[in-house]
Amino acid sequence: MGVIVYALPGNEVLAAQLVRTLGARAGELVLRQFPDGEWYLRVLTAAAGDDVVLACSLDRPNEKLVALYQLASSLRDDGAGRIVLAAPYLAYLRQDRRFLEGEALTSHSIARWLSGFIDGLVTVDPHLHRIHRLDEIYRVPSVVVPAAQAIARWVRRHVERPILIGPDAESEQWLSQVATLAQCPYRMLEKQRHGDREVEVSVPDLAGGVDRTPVLIDDIISTARTLVAALERLHEAGLPRAVCIGVHGLFVGDAEEALRQAGAARVLTCNTVNHASNAIDVHADIATAVASLLAAPPGEPSPPPR
Protein backbone atom coordinates (compact mmCIF):
# COMPACT_ATOMS: atom_id res chain seq x y z
CA MET A 1 0.00 0.00 0.00
CA GLY A 2 1.32 3.43 -0.94
CA VAL A 3 0.15 7.03 -0.86
CA ILE A 4 -1.16 9.04 -3.80
CA VAL A 5 -1.61 12.82 -3.69
CA TYR A 6 -4.26 14.46 -5.86
CA ALA A 7 -4.25 18.23 -6.34
CA LEU A 8 -7.48 20.02 -7.05
CA PRO A 9 -6.90 23.04 -9.34
CA GLY A 10 -4.79 25.75 -7.71
CA ASN A 11 -3.23 23.41 -5.14
CA GLU A 12 -0.36 22.05 -7.22
CA VAL A 13 2.43 23.62 -5.12
CA LEU A 14 1.05 22.15 -1.90
CA ALA A 15 0.60 18.80 -3.60
CA ALA A 16 4.24 18.80 -4.74
CA GLN A 17 5.36 19.41 -1.14
CA LEU A 18 3.14 16.56 0.05
CA VAL A 19 4.61 14.22 -2.56
CA ARG A 20 8.17 15.07 -1.46
CA THR A 21 7.52 14.77 2.26
CA LEU A 22 5.42 11.62 2.10
CA GLY A 23 7.43 9.85 -0.59
CA ALA A 24 4.11 9.60 -2.40
CA ARG A 25 3.05 9.42 -6.03
CA ALA A 26 1.38 12.35 -7.75
CA GLY A 27 -2.08 11.39 -8.93
CA GLU A 28 -3.41 12.65 -12.24
CA LEU A 29 -6.98 13.63 -12.88
CA VAL A 30 -9.09 15.63 -15.30
CA LEU A 31 -11.44 18.13 -13.69
CA ARG A 32 -13.32 20.68 -15.73
CA GLN A 33 -16.71 22.32 -15.88
CA PHE A 34 -19.39 21.87 -18.48
CA PRO A 35 -20.89 25.08 -19.90
CA ASP A 36 -23.75 24.85 -17.40
CA GLY A 37 -21.31 24.72 -14.46
CA GLU A 38 -21.48 21.01 -13.66
CA TRP A 39 -18.17 19.26 -12.96
CA TYR A 40 -16.64 16.62 -15.22
CA LEU A 41 -14.17 14.35 -13.39
CA ARG A 42 -11.94 11.56 -14.58
CA VAL A 43 -9.31 9.96 -12.32
CA LEU A 44 -6.31 8.90 -14.43
CA THR A 45 -4.22 7.42 -11.59
CA ALA A 46 -5.94 4.45 -10.00
CA ALA A 47 -5.79 4.36 -6.19
CA ALA A 48 -7.18 0.90 -5.40
CA GLY A 49 -5.59 -0.22 -2.13
CA ASP A 50 -3.66 3.04 -1.64
CA ASP A 51 -4.17 5.81 0.90
CA VAL A 52 -4.84 9.15 -0.76
CA VAL A 53 -4.32 12.79 0.17
CA LEU A 54 -6.50 15.46 -1.41
CA ALA A 55 -4.86 18.90 -1.57
CA CYS A 56 -7.61 21.49 -1.63
CA SER A 57 -7.72 24.82 0.19
CA LEU A 58 -11.35 25.77 0.72
CA ASP A 59 -11.46 29.47 -0.08
CA ARG A 60 -14.40 30.13 -2.43
CA PRO A 61 -15.81 26.88 -1.05
CA ASN A 62 -19.20 26.49 -2.68
CA GLU A 63 -18.06 25.06 -6.00
CA LYS A 64 -14.90 23.44 -4.58
CA LEU A 65 -16.81 21.31 -2.08
CA VAL A 66 -18.84 19.66 -4.84
CA ALA A 67 -15.71 18.78 -6.82
CA LEU A 68 -14.03 17.51 -3.66
CA TYR A 69 -17.00 15.29 -2.86
CA GLN A 70 -17.06 13.89 -6.39
CA LEU A 71 -13.33 13.08 -6.27
CA ALA A 72 -13.45 11.45 -2.83
CA SER A 73 -16.53 9.42 -3.79
CA SER A 74 -14.95 8.22 -7.03
CA LEU A 75 -11.75 7.19 -5.26
CA ARG A 76 -13.74 5.39 -2.55
CA ASP A 77 -15.79 3.53 -5.15
CA ASP A 78 -12.56 2.41 -6.86
CA GLY A 79 -11.13 0.92 -3.67
CA ALA A 80 -8.93 3.64 -2.17
CA GLY A 81 -7.84 3.25 1.45
CA ARG A 82 -7.89 6.22 3.81
CA ILE A 83 -8.74 9.60 2.33
CA VAL A 84 -7.06 12.55 4.05
CA LEU A 85 -7.96 16.13 3.18
CA ALA A 86 -5.18 18.72 3.36
CA ALA A 87 -7.15 21.97 3.43
CA PRO A 88 -4.85 24.85 4.49
CA TYR A 89 -7.90 27.11 4.75
CA LEU A 90 -11.05 25.54 6.15
CA ALA A 91 -14.30 27.32 5.32
CA TYR A 92 -17.71 27.41 7.00
CA LEU A 93 -16.67 27.96 10.60
CA ARG A 94 -18.10 31.42 11.35
CA GLN A 95 -21.75 30.36 11.76
CA ASP A 96 -21.26 28.33 14.93
CA ARG A 97 -24.31 29.57 16.85
CA ARG A 98 -27.90 30.50 16.06
CA PHE A 99 -28.38 34.18 16.85
CA LEU A 100 -31.75 34.42 15.07
CA GLU A 101 -34.51 31.87 14.80
CA GLY A 102 -34.12 29.75 11.68
CA GLU A 103 -30.44 30.47 11.06
CA ALA A 104 -28.49 27.54 9.63
CA LEU A 105 -25.71 26.16 11.84
CA THR A 106 -23.43 25.72 8.84
CA SER A 107 -20.26 25.01 10.81
CA HIS A 108 -21.90 21.82 12.08
CA SER A 109 -23.68 20.78 8.88
CA ILE A 110 -20.62 21.18 6.65
CA ALA A 111 -18.50 19.33 9.22
CA ARG A 112 -20.97 16.43 9.21
CA TRP A 113 -20.96 16.33 5.43
CA LEU A 114 -17.16 16.42 5.08
CA SER A 115 -16.78 13.83 7.84
CA GLY A 116 -18.96 11.51 5.77
CA PHE A 117 -16.51 11.19 2.88
CA ILE A 118 -13.02 11.80 4.31
CA ASP A 119 -11.08 9.87 6.96
CA GLY A 120 -8.80 12.64 8.22
CA LEU A 121 -8.30 16.40 8.04
CA VAL A 122 -5.29 18.72 8.26
CA THR A 123 -5.74 22.48 8.27
CA VAL A 124 -4.00 25.67 9.42
CA ASP A 125 -5.33 27.83 12.26
CA PRO A 126 -9.07 27.38 11.66
CA HIS A 127 -11.25 30.34 12.61
CA LEU A 128 -12.69 28.86 15.79
CA HIS A 129 -14.73 31.05 18.13
CA ARG A 130 -17.36 29.32 20.24
CA ILE A 131 -16.07 25.95 18.99
CA HIS A 132 -12.78 25.23 20.74
CA ARG A 133 -11.57 22.13 18.88
CA LEU A 134 -12.37 20.70 15.47
CA ASP A 135 -13.27 17.34 16.98
CA GLU A 136 -16.28 19.01 18.59
CA ILE A 137 -17.90 19.08 15.14
CA TYR A 138 -15.76 16.80 12.92
CA ARG A 139 -16.09 13.05 13.35
CA VAL A 140 -12.70 12.21 11.78
CA PRO A 141 -9.17 12.62 13.16
CA SER A 142 -7.84 16.12 12.57
CA VAL A 143 -4.57 17.99 13.01
CA VAL A 144 -4.35 21.77 13.29
CA VAL A 145 -1.11 23.27 12.03
CA PRO A 146 -0.27 26.50 13.87
CA ALA A 147 1.14 29.34 11.78
CA ALA A 148 2.68 31.07 14.80
CA GLN A 149 6.18 29.68 14.35
CA ALA A 150 6.37 30.54 10.64
CA ILE A 151 5.06 34.07 11.25
CA ALA A 152 7.46 34.64 14.14
CA ARG A 153 10.36 33.45 12.00
CA TRP A 154 9.44 35.96 9.28
CA VAL A 155 9.11 38.81 11.80
CA ARG A 156 12.51 38.05 13.36
CA ARG A 157 14.18 38.09 9.96
CA HIS A 158 12.48 41.08 8.37
CA VAL A 159 11.32 43.60 11.00
CA GLU A 160 13.59 45.65 13.24
CA ARG A 161 12.26 46.31 16.74
CA PRO A 162 8.74 45.00 16.10
CA ILE A 163 5.71 45.36 18.32
CA LEU A 164 2.89 42.96 17.46
CA ILE A 165 -0.67 44.28 17.41
CA GLY A 166 -3.65 41.90 17.64
CA PRO A 167 -7.18 42.68 16.42
CA ASP A 168 -9.13 41.76 19.56
CA ALA A 169 -8.93 40.09 22.96
CA GLU A 170 -10.02 36.73 21.55
CA SER A 171 -6.77 36.44 19.58
CA GLU A 172 -4.48 37.19 22.52
CA GLN A 173 -3.58 33.59 23.31
CA TRP A 174 -2.56 33.03 19.70
CA LEU A 175 -0.73 36.36 19.31
CA SER A 176 1.16 35.89 22.57
CA GLN A 177 2.66 32.71 21.12
CA VAL A 178 3.93 34.62 18.09
CA ALA A 179 5.34 37.35 20.36
CA THR A 180 7.13 34.81 22.55
CA LEU A 181 8.67 33.09 19.52
CA ALA A 182 9.62 36.42 17.93
CA GLN A 183 10.92 37.74 21.26
CA CYS A 184 9.06 41.04 21.06
CA PRO A 185 6.24 42.84 22.90
CA TYR A 186 2.61 42.81 21.83
CA ARG A 187 -0.58 44.78 22.43
CA MET A 188 -4.23 43.98 21.80
CA LEU A 189 -6.78 46.24 20.15
CA GLU A 190 -10.40 46.51 21.25
CA LYS A 191 -12.85 45.80 18.43
CA GLN A 192 -16.57 46.23 18.01
CA ARG A 193 -18.14 44.80 14.85
CA HIS A 194 -21.35 46.48 13.67
CA GLY A 195 -21.78 44.44 10.49
CA ASP A 196 -19.86 42.51 7.82
CA ARG A 197 -18.09 45.69 6.69
CA GLU A 198 -18.40 48.01 9.70
CA VAL A 199 -15.75 47.73 12.40
CA GLU A 200 -14.85 50.11 15.21
CA VAL A 201 -11.36 49.77 16.72
CA SER A 202 -9.78 51.45 19.71
CA VAL A 203 -6.07 51.39 20.53
CA PRO A 204 -4.90 50.73 24.10
CA ASP A 205 -1.94 52.38 25.81
CA LEU A 206 1.07 51.93 23.56
CA ALA A 207 3.67 53.07 26.06
CA GLY A 208 6.99 51.56 25.11
CA GLY A 209 5.85 50.89 21.57
CA VAL A 210 6.02 54.23 19.78
CA ASP A 211 9.66 53.69 18.79
CA ARG A 212 8.95 50.25 17.36
CA THR A 213 7.60 49.02 14.03
CA PRO A 214 3.97 47.90 14.45
CA VAL A 215 3.10 44.52 12.95
CA LEU A 216 -0.65 44.00 12.69
CA ILE A 217 -1.55 40.30 12.67
CA ASP A 218 -4.98 38.79 11.99
CA ASP A 219 -6.00 35.23 11.22
CA ILE A 220 -8.16 36.15 8.21
CA ILE A 221 -7.94 39.13 5.85
CA SER A 222 -11.38 39.17 4.25
CA THR A 223 -12.82 42.64 3.66
CA ALA A 224 -9.80 44.00 5.64
CA ARG A 225 -12.00 46.46 7.50
CA THR A 226 -10.51 45.46 10.87
CA LEU A 227 -6.96 46.08 9.67
CA VAL A 228 -7.94 49.33 7.95
CA ALA A 229 -9.52 50.66 11.15
CA ALA A 230 -6.45 49.58 13.12
CA LEU A 231 -4.08 51.27 10.65
CA GLU A 232 -6.02 54.51 10.99
CA ARG A 233 -5.86 54.42 14.80
CA LEU A 234 -2.12 53.60 14.82
CA HIS A 235 -1.47 56.50 12.45
CA GLU A 236 -3.41 58.83 14.78
CA ALA A 237 -1.28 57.54 17.68
CA GLY A 238 1.88 58.60 15.84
CA LEU A 239 3.30 55.14 15.14
CA PRO A 240 5.29 54.30 12.00
CA ARG A 241 3.57 52.65 9.04
CA ALA A 242 2.54 49.14 9.99
CA VAL A 243 3.25 45.78 8.39
CA CYS A 244 0.06 43.73 8.04
CA ILE A 245 0.15 39.94 8.26
CA GLY A 246 -2.74 37.55 7.72
CA VAL A 247 -2.70 33.80 8.11
CA HIS A 248 -5.41 33.40 5.46
CA GLY A 249 -5.67 36.06 2.75
CA LEU A 250 -9.13 36.05 1.16
CA PHE A 251 -9.05 39.72 0.04
CA VAL A 252 -12.72 40.23 -0.72
CA GLY A 253 -13.73 43.15 -2.92
CA ASP A 254 -11.51 46.22 -2.54
CA ALA A 255 -9.59 44.87 0.47
CA GLU A 256 -6.13 45.25 -1.09
CA GLU A 257 -6.75 48.80 -2.24
CA ALA A 258 -8.26 49.73 1.12
CA LEU A 259 -5.12 48.54 2.92
CA ARG A 260 -2.92 50.48 0.53
CA GLN A 261 -4.99 53.64 0.98
CA ALA A 262 -4.82 53.19 4.78
CA GLY A 263 -1.03 53.31 4.62
CA ALA A 264 0.08 49.73 5.19
CA ALA A 265 3.84 49.48 4.73
CA ARG A 266 3.45 45.91 3.46
CA VAL A 267 0.74 43.26 3.36
CA LEU A 268 1.71 39.60 3.47
CA THR A 269 0.06 36.25 4.15
CA CYS A 270 0.79 32.60 4.68
CA ASN A 271 0.42 30.43 1.59
CA THR A 272 -2.85 28.84 2.71
CA VAL A 273 -4.79 30.65 -0.04
CA ASN A 274 -3.11 31.45 -3.35
CA HIS A 275 -2.38 35.18 -3.54
CA ALA A 276 0.42 37.53 -4.58
CA SER A 277 0.92 38.41 -0.90
CA ASN A 278 2.02 34.86 0.02
CA ALA A 279 5.39 35.29 1.74
CA ILE A 280 5.21 32.89 4.69
CA ASP A 281 5.48 29.20 3.81
CA VAL A 282 3.48 26.68 5.85
CA HIS A 283 3.33 23.88 3.27
CA ALA A 284 6.15 21.88 4.84
CA ASP A 285 4.38 22.00 8.21
CA ILE A 286 1.15 20.83 6.57
CA ALA A 287 2.94 17.91 4.90
CA THR A 288 4.53 16.88 8.21
CA ALA A 289 1.10 16.92 9.87
CA VAL A 290 -0.38 14.79 7.09
CA ALA A 291 2.47 12.29 7.56
CA SER A 292 1.68 12.06 11.29
CA LEU A 293 -1.99 11.49 10.55
CA LEU A 294 -1.25 8.72 8.05
CA ALA A 295 1.20 7.11 10.47
CA ALA A 296 -1.53 6.66 13.09
CA PRO A 297 -3.48 3.37 12.85
CA PRO A 298 -6.97 3.82 11.38
CA GLY A 299 -9.45 4.78 14.07
CA GLU A 300 -6.82 6.09 16.45
CA PRO A 301 -7.36 9.52 18.05
CA SER A 302 -5.96 12.56 16.28
CA PRO A 303 -2.30 13.37 16.91
CA PRO A 304 -2.05 16.37 19.24
CA PRO A 305 -1.53 19.79 17.62
CA ARG A 306 2.12 20.87 17.52
Side-chain angles (χ1 to χ4, degrees):
M1 178 185 294
V3 178
I4 302 177
V5 177
Y6 296 90
L8 277 82
N11 294 271
E12 292 79 9
V13 176
L14 171 60
Q17 179 68 64
L18 288 164
V19 167
R20 290 193 297 271
T21 300
L22 302 174
R25 289 186 291 151
E28 294 187 43
L29 55 86
V30 177
L31 183 65
R32 59 179 174 82
Q33 287 182 293
F34 290 105
D36 64 358
E38 291 185 3
W39 286 108
Y40 168 85
L41 170 68
R42 181 186 176 196
V43 178
L44 302 178
T45 305
D50 292 311
D51 290 335
V52 301
V53 180
L54 309 181
C56 183
S57 198
L58 290 174
D59 55 302
R60 304 187 316 279
N62 292 345
E63 64 180 36
K64 289 185 176 184
L65 284 168
V66 173
L68 185 66
Y69 173 74
Q70 288 181 334
L71 176 56
S73 296
S74 180
L75 292 169
R76 186 83 73 193
D77 291 344
D78 291 340
R82 284 179 293 178
I83 298 176
V84 173
L85 171 61
Y89 174 70
L90 186 62
Y92 280 109
L93 288 171
R94 63 161 57 87
Q95 198 70 21
D96 58 4
R97 178 180 173 185
R98 289 190 175 94
F99 295 95
L100 299 173
E101 184 178 355
E103 284 186 335
L105 204 59
T106 51
S107 58
H108 291 63
S109 58
I110 294 296
R112 284 196 300 270
W113 184 44
L114 274 172
S115 297
F117 63 87
I118 62 173
D119 302 301
L121 169 66
V122 173
T123 190
V124 177
D125 285 337
H127 188 64
L128 301 180
H129 184 26
R130 283 161 289 268
I131 297 167
H132 303 292
R133 291 175 54 91
L134 285 178
D135 59 13
E136 292 179 28
I137 56 173
Y138 279 85
R139 301 194 302 265
V140 297
S142 60
V143 180
V144 170
V145 176
Q149 188 169 10
I151 293 173
R153 190 164 49 242
W154 188 93
V155 171
R156 286 199 310 268
R157 292 175 179 173
H158 298 280
V159 183
E160 293 186 11
R161 292 183 55 76
I163 179 170
L164 307 187
I165 309 291
D168 51 45
E170 293 170 359
S171 63
E172 181 168 8
Q173 182 176 359
W174 176 76
L175 189 75
S176 66
Q177 296 174 10
V178 181
T180 298
L181 292 166
Q183 300 179 333
C184 65
Y186 73 93
R187 299 287 188 276
M188 306 306 303
L189 304 178
E190 296 177 3
K191 178 176 73 174
Q192 286 187 312
R193 183 174 290 278
H194 304 293
D196 291 342
R197 294 176 178 271
E198 295 182 25
V199 177
E200 182 180 343
V201 168
S202 60
V203 178
D205 181 16
L206 291 172
V210 293
D211 61 341
R212 290 178 172 269
T213 300
V215 181
L216 280 164
I217 303 180
D218 206 350
D219 60 343
I220 297 177
I221 302 178
S222 181
T223 63
R225 290 310 182 257
T226 296
L227 291 178
V228 167
L231 287 166
E232 292 170 350
R233 300 293 85 75
L234 293 177
H235 176 72
E236 292 170 358
L239 270 70
R241 294 174 66 198
V243 175
C244 295
I245 298 178
V247 178
H248 309 292
L250 303 181
F251 295 102
V252 176
D254 66 344
E256 289 181 83
E257 177 62 18
L259 288 169
R260 189 186 69 80
Q261 291 287 348
R266 183 175 179 182
V267 179
L268 57 140
T269 59
C270 298
N271 55 350
T272 63
V273 177
N274 286 338
H275 192 265
S277 63
N278 292 162
I280 300 174
D281 183 22
V282 293
H283 284 178
D285 293 333
I286 293 170
T288 299
V290 170
S292 73
L293 198 57
L294 288 172
E300 288 289 311
S302 309
R306 296 186 304 105

